[in-house]
C-alpha cells in the first residue's frame, strides 16, 4: 500500500514580489481540495488532478482558464492535457476558446473519443456536443491580461514567450498537478493560456504528450511549466520519465532534464514529478515557481529557491 500524494505547481517564471502571496495561496488551496478528492474512496486519482487544476483555472493569479494571457488579437486561446498511468490514456485540447475549464474538456476527449487531442474549432464543437457550457470571450479576459498585452506591445516582446516570465511584464503561470493514489496509480494534468502576444493558433508544450506532461505507472508522472517552445524541443516530461526508468531519482531526473534544456536554449522552465514509488521531484531554473504538496496532514509549499513552508491540514 502506497501513501497517497498530490503535488501541484502554479507556473515557473520571474514572478514579481506582489504576486508571490496570491500564487502561494492559490497552490495551497488547490492542493488541499485536490487531496480531499484523492483520499475519497469514491473518487479516482484522475478526479484529484482534475479538481486541483480546475481550482487554479478559476483563480486569476494563474495563467489558465479565466485570467489567461491574450494572443495578438486580444483573445484567450487555451491548451490543456490530462493523462493516467495505468492504460496511459490521454486527453488534450489545443487553442480552445470560450470554456472555463479546458482541463475538464481534455478529460472528456480522453473518455469520450477515440482521439488524444482536439484543437481549435473542432475542440469547441466537441465541447458543445458534450454539453460543456460556453462562456463569453470577454468573461475569460481580465484587466490584468489586457494590461499585460499592452505592456508586451509597448516593450516589443510580442510572442516572445512572455507567459510566466517577466517581472514587470505581466507575469502569470501555467498550472499543473501530479498525484499517486494508495494503489500506486498515477495521473497528471496541465493547463495554460500560453504566451502573451502569441500568434493566434500558436500551441505550446502543455497539450503535447511528453512535453507539458506525461504519466506512466511503471515510472512516474510529470507536469511541466515555462518556455513552451524549449520544453517541446526537449520533450521535457518524457525525458524525465525516461531518466527515472533508467534509475534516476525523481529530483535528479527533473533537474537534469530542465538544466540540459536551459543550457541548450537559454530559456527557463520548471517541473513537478512523482515517481512510481511516491518520491517527489520539484525543480525550476526560473527565478520562482509556486508549488505545494500534501501527504497525510502535512502540506508543504514554496515559491523561491530553498523554500519549504510546512503546515498541518485536517484530514476528514
Ligand atoms: N508553458 C506554457 C506555454 O509555453 O504555452
Amino acid at each position: 500500500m502506497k501513501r497517497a500524494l498530490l503535488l501541484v505547481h502554479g507556473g515557473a517564471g520571474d514572478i514579481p514580489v506582489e504576486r508571490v502571496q496570491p500564487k502561494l495561496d492559490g497552490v495551497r488551496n488547490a492542493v488541499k481540495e485536490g487531496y480531499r478528492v484523492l483520499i475519497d474512496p469514491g473518487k479516482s486519482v484522475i478526479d484529484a488532478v482534475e479538481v486541483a487544476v480546475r481550482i487554479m483555472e478559476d483563480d486569476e493569479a494563474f495563467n489558465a482558464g479565466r485570467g489567461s494571457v491574450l494572443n495578438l488579437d486580444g483573445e484567450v486561446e487555451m491548451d490543456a492535457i490530462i493523462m493516467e498511468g495505468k492504460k496511459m490514456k490521454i486527453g488534450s485540447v489545443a487553442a480552445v476558446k470560450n470554456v472555463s475549464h479546458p482541463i475538464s474538456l481534455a478529460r472528456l476527449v480522453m473518455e469520450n473519443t477515440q482521439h488524444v487531442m482536439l484543437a481549435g474549432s473542432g475542440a469547441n464543437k466537441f465541447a458543445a456536443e458534450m454539453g460543456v457550457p460556453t462562456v463569453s470571450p470577454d468573461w475569460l479576459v481580465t484587466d490584468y491580461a489586457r494590461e499585460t498585452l499592452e505592456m508586451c506591445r509597448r516593450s516589443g516582446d510580442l510572442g516572445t514567450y512572455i507567459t510566466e516570465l517577466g517581472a514587470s511584464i505581466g507575469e502569470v503561470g501555467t498550472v499543473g498537478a501530479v498525484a499517486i493514489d494508495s494503489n500506486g496509480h498515477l495521473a497528471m494534468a496541465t493547463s495554460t493560456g500560453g504566451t502573451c502576444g502569441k500568434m493566434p493558433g500558436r500551441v505550446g508544450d502543455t497539450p503535447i504528450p511528453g512535453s507539458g506532461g506525461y504519466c506512466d505507472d511503471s515510472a512516474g508522472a510529470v507536469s511541466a511549466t515555462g518556455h513552451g517552445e524549449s520544453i517541446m524541443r526537449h520533450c521535457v516530461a518524457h525525458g524525465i520519465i525516461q531518466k527515472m526508468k533508467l534509475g534516476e531519482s525523481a529530483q535528479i531526473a527533473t533537474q537534469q532534464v530542465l538544466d540540459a534544456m536551459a543550457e541548450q536554449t537559454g530559456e527557463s522552465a520548471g517541473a513537478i514529478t512523482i515517481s512510481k514509488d511516491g518520491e517527489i521531484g520539484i525543480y525550476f531554473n526560473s527565478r520562482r515557481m509556486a508549488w505545494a504538496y500534501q501527504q497525510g496532514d502535512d502540506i508543504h509549499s514554496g515559491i523561491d529557491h530553498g523554500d519549504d513552508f510546512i503546515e498541518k491540514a485536517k484530514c476528514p
Side-chain angles (χ1 to χ4, degrees):
M1 188 103 162
K2 298 246 187 318
R3 287 192 73 201
L5 167 69
L6 176 74
L7 168 60
V8 306
H9 72 75
D14 198 3
I15 298 163
V17 71
E18 67 272 16
R19 301 284 285 176
V20 163
Q21 198 57 49
K23 283 181 184 290
L24 273 174
D25 292 344
V27 291
R28 288 170 182 156
N29 187 30
V31 88
K32 285 177 201 168
E33 292 301 319
Y35 190 77
R36 262 194 273 276
V37 173
L38 184 64
I39 60 172
D40 180 337
K43 305 275 186 189
S44 70
V45 67
I46 275 278
D47 293 328
V49 294
E50 181 187 4
V51 162
V53 165
R54 280 178 67 97
I55 285 167
M56 291 186 281
E57 287 175 336
D58 284 335
D59 187 335
E60 290 176 26
F62 303 111
N63 175 19
R66 181 170 152 77
S68 287
V69 295
L70 307 182
N71 68 15
L72 272 176
D73 291 345
E75 293 175 327
V76 167
E77 285 184 326
M78 301 164 288
D79 302 332
I81 186 169
I82 195 162
M83 181 170 184
E84 62 79 39
K86 196 172 182 179
K87 296 190 174 162
M88 296 173 72
K89 289 193 293 186
I90 308 171
S92 86
V93 290
V96 68
K97 299 179 183 177
N98 303 0
V99 295
S100 52
H101 295 109
I103 199 65
S104 297
L105 184 57
R107 184 169 177 180
L108 288 170
V109 172
M110 180 175 83
E111 292 179 344
N112 294 281
T113 79
Q114 58 190 338
H115 304 305
V116 162
M117 183 189 295
L118 291 177
S121 59
N124 277 103
K125 186 164 178 261
F126 172 69
E129 283 164 12
M130 297 305 294
V132 174
T134 302
V135 294
S136 80
D138 280 353
W139 183 84
L140 290 167
V141 178
T142 58
D143 289 343
Y144 190 74
R146 280 195 195 92
E147 285 160 21
T148 303
L149 181 61
E150 283 317 304
M151 275 194 257
C152 291
R153 285 191 202 281
R154 281 201 295 275
S155 72
D157 264 330
L158 285 169
T160 54
Y161 321 126
I162 304 300
T163 164
E164 302 87 352
L165 315 175
S168 59
I169 306 176
E171 139 300 321
V172 277
T174 292
V175 303
V178 289
I180 187 166
D181 68 16
S182 55
N183 298 313
H185 188 23
L186 287 146
M188 63 73 45
T190 312
S191 181
T192 190
T195 55
C196 180
K198 63 187 179 183
M199 291 171 69
R202 178 264 187 189
V203 174
D205 61 297
T206 296
I208 310 298
S211 288
Y214 205 68
C215 183
D216 178 346
D217 278 5
S218 74
V222 180
S223 171
T225 164
H227 184 241
E229 280 70 8
S230 297
I231 294 170
M232 280 191 274
R233 285 179 192 124
H234 283 259
C235 300
V236 160
H238 195 257
I240 294 169
I241 294 283
Q242 286 304 107
K243 279 193 180 281
M244 288 196 293
K245 280 190 174 172
L246 293 172
E248 287 296 358
S249 69
Q251 184 62 33
I252 296 295
T254 306
Q255 186 170 334
Q256 285 182 349
V257 171
L258 289 168
D259 281 347
M261 184 214 86
E263 192 179 338
Q264 195 265 323
T265 64
E267 302 289 351
S268 65
I272 54 171
T273 303
I274 297 179
S275 76
K276 67 175 170 34
D277 301 317
E279 292 181 301
I280 290 172
I282 301 169
Y283 187 73
F284 48 102
N285 45 38
S286 54
R287 184 170 164 217
R288 293 187 165 113
M289 179 181 81
W291 58 268
Y293 70 87
Q294 183 168 357
Q295 187 163 45
D297 52 9
D298 288 330
I299 299 172
H300 295 248
S301 59
I303 191 162
D304 281 302
H305 289 277
D307 281 350
D308 187 4
F309 305 114
I310 304 173
E311 61 183 281
K312 288 280 177 197
K314 268 207 173 316
C315 288

